[in-house]
Amino acid sequence: MEGKLKIDWAKEHMPLLNNIEKEFREKRLLKDTRISIALHLEAKTANLAIALSNGGAEVAITSSNPLTTQDDVADALKEFGIKVFARRGISDKEYIKNCNRVLDIKPHIIIDDGGDLVNLLHTERGDVIRNVIGACEETTTGVERDRLLEKKKLLSFPVIAVNNAKCKHLFDNRYGTGQSAWDGIIRTTNVNIAGKNVVVAGYGWVGKGIAMRAKGFGARVIVTEVDPIKAMEAYMDGFEIMRMKEAAKLGDIFVTATGNTDVIDARYFERMKDGAILANAGHFDVEVKMKDLKKIAKGFREVRKNITEYVLRDGRRLYVLGEGRLVNLACADGHPIEIMDLSFAVQALSVEYLLKNSKNLKAQVYEVPEDLDKNIAEKFLSAYKIKIDRLTKEQINYLTKL
Ligand code: NAD
Ligand code: ADE
């Protein structure tokens, strides 16, 4: 009941996906298509799965992380005739088992978030890979993993880098995570952000959003980076830049957003203040090195839902949110609905693009076509009744003459 209400509420705020669904349904565009999905399973994701199913597809879904399934939504989704294999809090082994189960339908199309399904197909599921005509990848880390497969000449089918569409990363990675990471941190800890020293590791699209919103809350924001250009950008945006070595001593709240491993490990835990809060917004739970923390801690306990307290030998306490998994999904509901409406519009139209064009595509990673991206932006403006100017004939002539 609760899950169905959540799905309905999200649907009310997804005008783009609703229009795409209508077209898919009326034209039965996805008839005879089997789609396997690994996406964080919450209410917005459920609406994408329903839209694809209503378009005629057979859909099987799992979450793209062991800790990001909302069980009530997963249960409600089964009532829509979708094969659901997901539970919150499962082990890594059970998670892989669920990924395998969604692949058992012998999919034509994969929708992946982080690259686990594509990876599994290439390593263990040779039995079903030949049916796959292509995949759509949701996030930066997944696109990087797919590009590695391509570089090693192992990739077996075309992949559309949904993440790289302007209508995706400029909004989802930046403003989406900017809001939802703080939603997760605030609803989990209930602490005041103003006046706190917030350390953001990584100033890519996700880091930019998190830093920007932290500043809005009145925090003093420190950014750590490894890329000199990004560090300069953060500096010009008004943030303090330093190495993690120095930042570790100052931070009250740390948020990692790098897509990299060992960003905060024993080198830095040892320097942190008593009471420091640690959260991760990057795809995998490798940014805050939990293994190190468990090793140097003399004990740990859950002090509040989704907060684990680690007590170090000298008595200092460090607090990890959502086991170091994506804080916006493990500790909250993920991005705002309207943002995911945009991301999933890109997903749905990329699925349609694959169906129509796969015969002409090679086994490589493709960007989302520019016209498709622009079309979604037009649809967004129209849905929110935002009007923009159009170039006059004279302006076009002026801009195109030599
Ligand atoms: P990005 O490539 O734009 O940015 C990553 C940044 O981290 C780069 O600027 C890089 O120089 C920096 N970096 C790498 N190693 C570092 C280190 N050791 N210390 C400091 N900085 C370091 O990527 P992005 O789009 O911002 O995504 C970042 C991560 O977040 C990825 O794993 C992505 O999949 C994930 N993501 C999560 C969500 C979410 O909902 N939580 C949404 C979108 C993306
Ligand atoms: N909800 C569903 N998928 C999501 C994602 N990749 N990021 C944030 N919220 C989401």
Side-chain angles (χ1 to χ4, degrees):
M1 181 66 181
E2 176 83 359
K4 171 74 168 55
L5 287 173
K6 282 185 183 174
I7 295 172
D8 291 346
W9 172 259
K11 187 175 172 61
E12 287 291 314
H13 302 272
M14 300 185 88
L16 274 65
L17 189 64
N18 290 338
N19 280 333
I20 294 169
E21 173 179 6
K22 187 165 174 274
E23 202 187 323
F24 279 7
R25 189 171 2 97
E26 284 169 3
K27 298 186 181 157
R28 297 290 288 168
L29 275 176
L30 308 178
K31 192 167 142 305
D32 299 329
T33 307
R34 293 188 296 275
I35 304 180
S36 297
I37 304 178
L39 286 171
H40 305 294
L41 215 183
E42 45 92 0
K44 283 94 78 181
T45 314
N47 277 296
L48 173 66
I50 292 164
L52 298 171
S53 167
N54 287 344
E58 179 183 338
V59 178
I61 187 166
T62 182
S63 193
S64 46
N65 185 293
L67 207 58
T68 59
T69 301
Q70 298 198 3
D71 290 339
D72 51 355
V73 172
D75 289 340
L77 195 51
K78 289 179 190 159
E79 305 297 315
F80 289 86
I82 287 161
K83 295 190 172 88
V84 182
F85 305 101
R87 219 74 206 153
R88 183 186 159 93
I90 54 177
S91 65
D92 288 349
K93 209 167 145 198
E94 286 169 306
Y95 168 71
I96 295 297
K97 205 166 160 187
N98 285 340
C99 289
N100 271 305
R101 282 179 174 151
V102 299
L103 293 178
D104 286 342
I105 67 164
K106 299 187 174 67
H108 302 108
I109 288 182
I110 304 295
I111 298 182
D112 218 357
D113 186 333
D116 285 343
L117 288 187
V118 168
N119 201 272
L120 204 54
L121 279 163
H122 286 83
T123 51
E124 291 172 33
R125 295 305 301 264
D127 59 322
V128 293
I129 201 168
R130 82 185 79 91
N131 299 297
V132 178
I133 63 160
C136 299
E137 173 51 57
E138 173 79 7
T139 196
T140 315
T141 287
V143 171
E144 281 166 10
R145 292 177 82 194
D146 294 342
R147 284 236 162 93
L148 266 179
L149 281 173
E150 181 189 351
K151 209 167 149 195
K152 291 184 177 167
K153 303 204 179 328
L154 293 172
L155 193 64
S156 296
F157 45 73
V159 175
I160 308 292
V162 168
N163 176 74
N164 298 5
K166 289 189 176 128
C167 281
K168 202 282 182 177
H169 71 276
L170 292 181
F171 304 94
D172 173 312
N173 300 33
R174 181 168 39 173
Y175 303 110
T177 321
Q179 177 167 321
S180 60
W182 286 108
D183 179 4
I185 294 166
I186 291 168
R187 76 162 86 164
T188 304
T189 62
N190 197 218
V191 302
N192 194 38
I193 307 302
K196 294 270 191 314
N197 289 334
V198 167
V199 178
V200 179
Y203 203 68
W205 293 109
V206 171
K208 280 185 176 77
I210 294 169
M212 177 204 303
R213 295 308 189 219
K215 190 176 182 176
F217 278 122
R220 283 189 291 270
V221 183
I222 297 164
V223 170
T224 70
E225 250 297 343
V226 292
D227 177 333
I229 305 283
K230 299 277 174 59
M232 246 169 72
E233 223 184 331
Y235 175 76
M236 294 293 182
D237 284 342
F239 299 113
E240 215 175 322
I241 320 300
M242 59 182 80
R243 293 176 299 184
M244 186 57 84
K245 191 175 159 189
E246 285 89 32
K249 289 189 271 187
L250 302 174
D252 299 302
I253 303 175
F254 294 81
V255 193
T256 51
T258 69
N260 205 345
T261 191
D262 302 353
V263 178
I264 302 183
D265 60 14
R267 290 171 292 167
Y268 308 121
F269 296 136
E270 297 290 6
R271 296 173 159 252
M272 288 179 179
K273 291 197 246 182
D274 178 38
I277 292 168
L278 302 156
N280 166 50
H283 184 75
F284 284 116
D285 58 340
V286 295
E287 307 211 10
V288 177
K289 199 166 183 185
M290 298 306 300
K291 220 160 84 187
D292 275 11
L293 191 51
K294 283 176 187 155
K295 206 151 81 188
I296 65 171
K298 65 177 182 194
F300 65 92
R301 61 179 179 142
E302 187 164 25
V303 288
R304 192 176 148 103
K305 189 168 179 241
N306 288 326
I307 307 183
T308 313
E309 176 190 73
Y310 289 85
V311 183
L312 306 190
R313 286 184 199 104
D314 62 5
R316 275 176 304 127
R317 295 154 304 168
L318 302 181
Y319 295 99
V320 177
L321 308 190
E323 300 174 16
R325 298 192 189 268
L326 307 100
V327 69
N328 58 329
L329 285 141
C331 301
D333 294 314
H335 294 342
I337 306 170
E338 297 88 337
I339 299 261
M340 287 316 294
D341 188 29
L342 257 179
S343 301
F344 287 160
V346 184
Q347 277 288 3
L349 294 184
S350 295
V351 166
E352 183 185 1
Y353 177 80
L354 266 180
L355 271 179
K356 290 185 174 157
N357 297 283
S358 71
K359 287 201 176 74
N360 304 317
L361 299 176
K362 298 188 188 113
Q364 64 186 63
V365 178
Y366 286 89
E367 299 295 330
V368 170
E370 221 175 295
D371 56 340
L372 191 158
D373 211 355
K374 216 165 171 184
N375 185 263
I376 293 173
E378 298 277 7
K379 285 191 162 100
F380 181 90
L381 294 177
S382 158
Y384 292 93
K385 301 192 172 36
I386 299 166
K387 292 197 166 67
I388 60 170
D389 288 323
R390 302 282 166 199
L391 291 170
T392 63
K393 252 192 209 144
E394 288 72 20
Q395 286 171 331
I396 293 171
N397 285 340
Y398 178 78
L399 293 172
T400 51
K401 77 173 182 218
L402 280 176

